[in-house]
Structures are given as C-alpha cells and as structure tokens.
Amino acid sequence: MERAKTYKKTLLIESSDKKGIKDCAGHLKNGEVIGFPTETVYGLGCDARNGEAVKRVFEAKGRPADNPLICHIGDKEQIGDIVSEITPLAQKLIDAFMPGPITLVMKKSDSIADETTAGLDTVGVRMPSHPVANRFLKEAGIPVAAPSANLSGRPSPTSSRSVLEDMDGYIYAVIDGGDSEYGLESTVVDCTGTTPVILRPGAVTKADIDSVLNGGETVIAGGLSDKETPRSPGMKYRHYAPYARVEIMQMPEGVEITGDNAIGSDGKIGVYEPVDLKKLTDDEAKELVNIVSPFILRSREILSENPFARIGLYCGGEIKAMYDKLNDKILSAHTEFCVYGRTVDVSSASHGLFEGLRFLDVQEVDVILAQGFSGEGLSVAYMNRLGKAAGKKEELTPGMPAPARPARMPLPIDAFKDTNTASVLFIDDNNISLSACCEVLMRRKIEKNEPYISNSAADTGFEIYCESAGLTAMTGLEPDPQMDKAVKELTGFGLGSVESRRADPAIYDDNDLILTVRDEQAFEITKAFPQIKDKVFSLSTFAAANGLVMKDSTGKVMSISVPDPSGENYETYLHTAKALGAWLDLLFPYILKDLGAARV
Ligand code: TXA
Ligand code: MG
C-alpha cells in the first residue's frame, strides 16, 4: 500500500481551541483525515459515508483494506441513521454502556460506505465518553469512521505525541486531548443475535455485560482458524508490536496477582511512587521475590547469550525497587525500566502499556520483558494486547513491509516540571586531538537524541553536557588540523568549538562521569584523587564495568585501544575518528544511564 506524505506538517490542535476543532470538523466533512482523542486510544477519523475518505485512512495507516472501521458518533440519535436494525440486545447495551469504551456490531444501513465496513453487512458503532471527542463528533455531526491512529502493526497511540510520531505529514491535523484514560481499545461486541459475543476484549468486561443481561451469558469469541473469515477481521494480524521482541513474564505458580480490583483507592492510575521495600510485610516480601525472580533470571540468561543486549522492563514499582536493592551493576546497566504503577494494578498496566512499549523502543532495547496478569476482568484485555505484541515477527501481515522507525517528535516546551543536568568529561594527555574529537562527536550524539528525561522521574527533563580536557595540555592551543578535518568530514562540524585546556580538580568536580582515552590516564587520575574514583573510567574499563565484553574472532577479549594518530597521514586520522565514533555509539546508552537520563 502506497504511503505518501500529503502535508508538510500535521497541525496539532489544543483541546481548548474551539475554532481549531471547528476547522477540523470542516476538513473532515470535506473528505480529510483528522486524528482525535478518545478515552481508549486516539483515532484517525474520516467521513464514514465517503469511500474516498476511508481509502485515505487506510493509506495513512498503511493498513490492508479488508479490515473494517468503527463508526464514531457524538449523539445516540445518529445510531438510527447508520444501522438497519437495533436488536433488543443492542438497545440494552446502548443504554448500559454508551457513551463509553464499547463498540457494538449491528446490521449496517446503506448510508455507510462499503469501504468503511470492508464489505461486511455489519458496522461497529461507538460513542466515546471523552469530552474532546464528543465536542469534535458533535461539531461534525456525521458518522466518523476511525481506526486507532497508529501505523499498522504499531502500538496504538494514547497521546497526541504518539499520533504525530506515526502520522506527521500523512493527515491534516490531530486534536490533543491528553493521555487516554484506559489505554486499550474498546470492547467489540457483536449484538446482531440474542447472545452478545465479545470479538475483542476491552475495559467493558464479560462480567460487566453479563450483569445487564437477564440471565444468559456473554460469549468470548475463540481462536481463529486460517480458513474461516474472522468475525472481527482485525484480530488476525500481528498488532501492537514494538520493534523490540516482547516476552511475557508470567506470575509464578501460586502467586495470585489478578489485580482486577486493584485500582488505586484515590482512583488515580499510572502513577508511580517509589516503593519502600522496608514497609512490606514478610508475606508480601516473599511474594515479591517470586514475582521479580523471572525477570532477573531471564535477563541474566539473555545477557549470557549476548553481553551487548539491552533489556526493557515493563513492570511495577516494587520490581524496580528490588532491582535497585539488588544493586547488580551489570544487570542495571543493561536494563531500562518503564514502571506503570503498583505491580498488581492491571488498570495502570493497561493505561500505560502502549506508551510503555513505545518508550522502551526509543531506548533501543532489544527485548522487552513485560509483566503478565491472570484473571477474568481487565486482565483479559491486557493479556490479549500483550500477547499480540509478543507475536512472532513472521506473523506480520503478509505483503506489508515492516514499518521503519518513525522520527522522534519534539516535546512541548512546558512538558517538564523540573530539569536536571549532568555532564561527561573526556580526557587525553593533550586536548587538541582525541579528547577534543570525543567531545565533538559526543555533542552531536547528545543533540541528535534530544530531548531527555530523568530515568527516575518522567516529569523531569534532563540536559546533558559534554566537555574535554588534557592531563598535560597547554591552554588555548589550536586543535590538530588533521583531526579537525577528519571530524568535520564525519559530522560537518570541526573542532573549532574546543579550546584546549589542562584538566584540574575543579573540572573533575563539574563533571558526573569522566572517561579517559587510555587506561593509564584513568589510573593516574584516581591515584591523585581517590575520592572521585567512582566516576572515573577509561573507555575500556567503562565498557567492562557495564559487562560489555568484546572478543575478537579467536575469542580473545579485546580492549578499546585508540592509538594516537599524530604524525600519521590523514587517512589514519579519519580512521581513528571513525573508531572513536563507533565506540561512543556503543557506549552512549550506558553513558546516558550512568548519568541518570533516558531518551523520550
Ligand atoms: O477504542 C477503539 O475502538 C478505537 C478508538 C479509536 O475508538 N478504535 C479502534 O479501531 O481500535 P481499530 O480499527 O483499530 O479496531 C477496530 C476493531 C477491529 O478489530 C475490527 O476488526 C473490529 O473492530 N470491527 C470493526 N467493525 C467490525 C464489524 N462490522 N464486524 C466485526 N468486527 C468489526
Ligand atoms: Mg488498531
């Protein structure tokens, strides 16, 4: 499917911008595609009566057209126009659950385009409860066909930022409405018959639906065979997948962590408060060890196979607290956390799942270990999505190329409450060649990966600085012209911004991490200033401290050695600068982690 950018930039409309929302509704009626918030996930809306507009949605998503879209409405009165029959069962469910996170499949009327329902004679109807969705849908006054606003196969977006990540330039505008409350798509219920059939589990659970039936029981649609046309066609594709491989960490036998009743008493979800392990009872502590062990054992197994592996954890706060307490340096250096709240809280886990998968992807982890839940309620929907995210790569929709990593979107200026800073220092003997090269290469890397947040508090921004100095450097020397040229060739920036200077205690003090080009230099610094030994490493020892053991083809452990190119020809300089760049690329995630920062 062709995916062509139609707009230079997708507009971001504030939820309070009444004129902007009106403008979006106008463009929608003219056949354009608009991203909008709902309480489940963000949707990509278009006029459900207009087949051409629907095609545009499929194009923007890169989604095969055999997958029907849900029709969204702002008013229950509209249902009569889009369906040909409201069964008594449908009426009961409309009364009980609309507006809310539910989609009811009913017989369609002729007003809905065949493209919307992918040729089916039924249509999914949904009335979101999100106030901004409601305002937009009322303003439009037409049935709005909308799938989740992600690129096909990616985790559904639960923030306008994630919509932009996948859709910038492909749609006219996205309306911001904050983070989606539930974070998982609506429960899809077929109510064309007398028994409701759940085609896709969601926040409205089987028990919720059973409770409004006068006897009888809701059916949950079973697995899909290959030949059968799926009743909910969306269920046959691999979905929600981050680029990293996903593994589910099931609760060990005997541990009860259904969590279905565990919404925080204050009603807040997705709030991570650091956990005080000392406050746990003995039984709680024992249970915690059982829950955390699979994460640790699996991580160690992964690292023994690949010492370069980076592992993302989607887990509860208690698990992070246990890792902190364990204080295994190598394990910690290879682990990125995304903490959803309390371990047992499946509402928070659901709320944060898709954003969490996206966040861990940005940290470029290779594997994501995610907390599994058992139980009947919301756990069913959570495990349904997580199970699909963990689906094998080869289950990607046939004929669809794996989507490329989208570019990172800028954050709004006021995104952070506070900002932390940290700085890394590069040291060589002189400061006109290798250390200066490291400084400039590192700066480029830092800029390219901006912005950063604190890896312990997501509402705290992080600024990272980088400098260099030389143990025996003279102050104010011009950079080595050959190295200057080599770095310019690699990055477009020379060493002009680096003024050579001698390292001293004040400079050491200003920096949180000190990396020397050669091992002897780190040794020399720590001998003179033993009190700072914890933050001084050579490039080699920093790699080793993070468990990065590099071996050559004969199995011999390699150390990072960068010979001084001075006196050699330009090719040698260029080669050296490239080698330093490659080491810094490898070490960058560990440097970030050491400084306490993460990418956003
Ligand atoms: O929460 C939601 O439902 C979100 C927000 C944006 O409303 N929308 C959403 O849409 O998740 P989408 O397209 O990503 O998923 C729609 C699901 C698919 O599994 C599709 O197969 C099913 O609903 N579906 C839609 N119409 C159907 C129909 N007529 N019969 C059976 N299944 C249908
Ligand atoms: Mg979807």
Side-chain angles (χ1 to χ4, degrees):
M1 177 147 330
E2 198 57 38
R3 194 168 188 256
K5 278 206 181 196
T6 324
Y7 305 92
K8 213 162 154 225
K9 216 166 169 21
T10 292
L11 299 176
L12 178 62
I13 308 295
E14 299 279 335
S15 59
S16 57
D17 179 358
K18 288 205 175 112
K19 227 177 106 220
I21 292 178
K22 207 173 182 147
D23 170 56
C24 285
H27 277 82
L28 185 89
K29 285 191 268 192
N30 282 333
E32 292 199 61
V33 180
I34 307 290
F36 66 100
T38 84
E39 71 278 22
T40 57
V41 301
Y42 276 66
L44 273 191
C46 71
D47 182 348
R49 307 161 309 177
N50 176 348
E52 290 305 310
V54 177
K55 281 187 196 150
R56 250 168 246 145
V57 166
F58 284 120
E59 259 166 46
K61 273 186 78 79
R63 169 153 154 179
D66 66 342
N67 211 340
L69 304 184
I70 294 170
C71 276
H72 296 69
I73 51 173
D75 195 319
K76 286 188 194 176
E77 297 282 294
Q78 291 171 271
I79 299 176
D81 302 335
I82 56 182
V83 307
S84 60
E85 185 196 1
I86 302 178
T87 61
L89 171 63
Q91 191 59 54
K92 210 177 267 175
L93 299 181
I94 292 168
D95 295 340
F97 300 112
M98 275 193 188
I102 195 166
T103 296
L104 301 179
V105 173
M106 300 186 240
K107 285 266 181 282
K108 87 185 250 300
S109 78
D110 290 340
S111 68
I112 300 300
D114 285 337
E115 285 85 351
T116 295
T117 57
L120 297 178
D121 62 354
T122 53
V123 60
V125 181
R126 165 151 149 71
M127 181 174 174
S129 61
H130 193 295
V132 178
N134 207 261
R135 191 177 317 145
F136 170 61
L137 292 168
K138 279 216 164 88
E139 185 71 52
I142 57 172
V144 175
S148 51
N150 51 293
L151 192 56
S152 185
R154 293 267 292 146
S156 300
T158 59
S159 68
S160 56
R161 185 177 139 79
S162 292
V163 177
L164 285 175
E165 220 168 74
D166 287 8
M167 294 296 155
D168 191 32
Y170 296 98
I171 61 174
Y172 174 71
V174 54
I175 303 169
D176 180 55
D179 288 349
S180 300
E181 180 186 348
Y182 295 101
L184 302 180
E185 304 85 345
S186 62
T187 309
V188 178
V189 186
D190 182 340
C191 46
T192 51
T194 48
T195 306
V197 180
I198 295 182
L199 303 177
R200 178 176 71 183
V204 175
T205 64
K206 174 178 164 10
D208 293 334
I209 298 173
D210 283 346
S211 74
V212 301
L213 304 176
N214 308 321
E217 243 196 277
T218 307
V219 174
I220 299 187
L224 302 160
S225 84
D226 287 345
K227 290 188 195 81
E228 189 184 0
T229 307
R231 289 185 78 176
S232 187
M235 292 177 76
K236 74 181 173 181
Y237 300 107
R238 179 181 188 248
H239 265 175
Y240 318 117
Y243 298 101
R245 186 177 87 230
V246 176
E247 294 182 22
I248 302 172
M249 294 291 103
Q250 268 303 1
M251 290 299 151
E253 205 59 41
V255 176
E256 262 304 307
I257 179 179
T258 70
D260 283 338
N261 308 313
I263 291 197
S265 51
D266 54 359
K268 276 193 198 153
I269 50 177
V271 184
Y272 168 53
E273 279 156 25
V275 175
D276 186 352
L277 291 175
K278 283 192 230 99
K279 287 198 182 135
L280 299 181
T281 65
D282 284 355
D283 279 350
E284 282 170 334
K286 243 184 248 157
E287 187 155 279
L288 183 53
V289 170
N290 282 333
I291 297 169
V292 80
S293 303
F295 283 93
I296 292 176
L297 293 178
R298 184 65 190 128
S299 295
R300 291 203 168 126
E301 213 169 85
I302 291 166
L303 285 171
S304 73
E305 282 158 18
N306 172 14
F308 295 85
R310 295 172 40 71
I311 302 167
L313 258 50
Y314 187 67
C315 64
E318 295 89 341
I319 291 182
K320 176 159 193 304
M322 282 291 269
Y323 265 69
D324 291 346
K325 188 170 172 209
L326 186 69
N327 198 20
D328 176 325
K329 290 248 162 56
I330 290 176
L331 199 56
S332 301
H334 288 259
T335 307
E336 292 294 338
F337 285 93
C338 180
V339 171
Y340 53 73
R342 298 298 303 266
T343 302
V344 296
D345 182 356
V346 74
S347 301
S348 291
S350 301
H351 171 78
L353 179 66
F354 291 143
E355 285 295 318
L357 296 177
R358 283 173 181 262
F359 170 81
L360 290 170
D361 250 346
V362 171
Q363 312 311 317
E364 288 177 11
V365 300
D366 305 294
V367 191
I368 295 171
L369 306 182
Q371 183 66 65
F373 285 84
S374 51
E376 299 275 292
L378 186 55
S379 298
V380 176
Y382 173 84
M383 289 305 283
N384 170 273
R385 305 308 192 277
L386 189 56
K388 288 186 185 194
K392 291 190 198 74
K393 292 275 188 223
E394 51 271 27
E395 281 169 21
L396 271 174
T397 312
M400 298 285 296
R405 271 179 205 267
R408 199 159 291 128
M409 292 309 297
L411 275 183
I413 324 135
D414 56 359
F416 302 123
K417 267 205 291 204
D418 293 308
T419 305
N420 288 347
T421 59
S423 179
V424 53
L425 172 71
F426 290 97
I427 295 278
D428 189 16
D429 287 344
N430 66 47
N431 189 206
I432 57 171
S433 183
L434 296 178
S435 56
C437 170
C438 286
E439 175 181 331
V440 172
L441 293 180
M442 191 67 189
R443 275 221 198 120
R444 304 303 307 152
K445 265 201 93 58
I446 292 170
E447 279 166 23
K448 248 172 80 184
N449 286 286
E450 272 169 348
Y452 304 94
I453 52 171
S454 153
N455 62 17
S456 54
D459 58 0
T460 302
F462 218 103
E463 276 168 20
I464 299 170
Y465 299 95
C466 174
E467 39 187 283
S468 63
L471 293 178
T472 55
M474 308 246 274
T475 298
L477 288 187
E478 291 284 312
D480 183 324
Q482 302 258 66
M483 185 55 89
D484 182 53
K485 190 173 156 202
V487 173
K488 199 172 273 159
E489 184 170 335
L490 287 183
T491 66
F493 292 80
L495 301 180
S497 59
V498 183
E499 184 159 318
S500 101
R501 57 180 187 159
R502 173 148 331 172
D504 64 33
I507 294 177
Y508 296 149
D509 228 37
D510 281 348
N511 283 276
D512 305 278
L513 177 63
I514 301 171
L515 295 173
T516 68
V517 173
R518 287 183 294 112
D519 291 346
E520 311 85 85
Q521 295 157 341
F523 180 71
E524 208 173 297
I525 296 172
T526 46
K527 208 172 86 188
F529 306 101
Q531 69 278 15
I532 60 169
K533 68 173 181 359
D534 287 345
K535 64 175 184 182
V536 184
F537 301 88
S538 67
L539 292 175
S540 275
T541 55
F542 185 72
N546 287 305
L548 297 172
V549 184
M550 281 146 275
K551 296 182 178 159
D552 65 14
S553 52
T554 67
K556 230 176 72 198
V557 174
M558 285 163 51
S559 93
I560 303 179
S561 73
V562 186
D564 187 347
S566 58
E568 304 288 334
N569 61 15
Y570 176 66
E571 285 311 308
T572 311
Y573 273 92
L574 189 60
H575 179 79
T576 305
K578 279 187 186 159
L580 275 176
W583 286 119
L584 293 179
D585 277 348
L586 179 69
L587 297 179
F588 184 66
Y590 301 92
I591 293 174
L592 280 189
K593 223 175 141 56
D594 189 275
L595 298 177
R599 281 178 275 191
V600 258

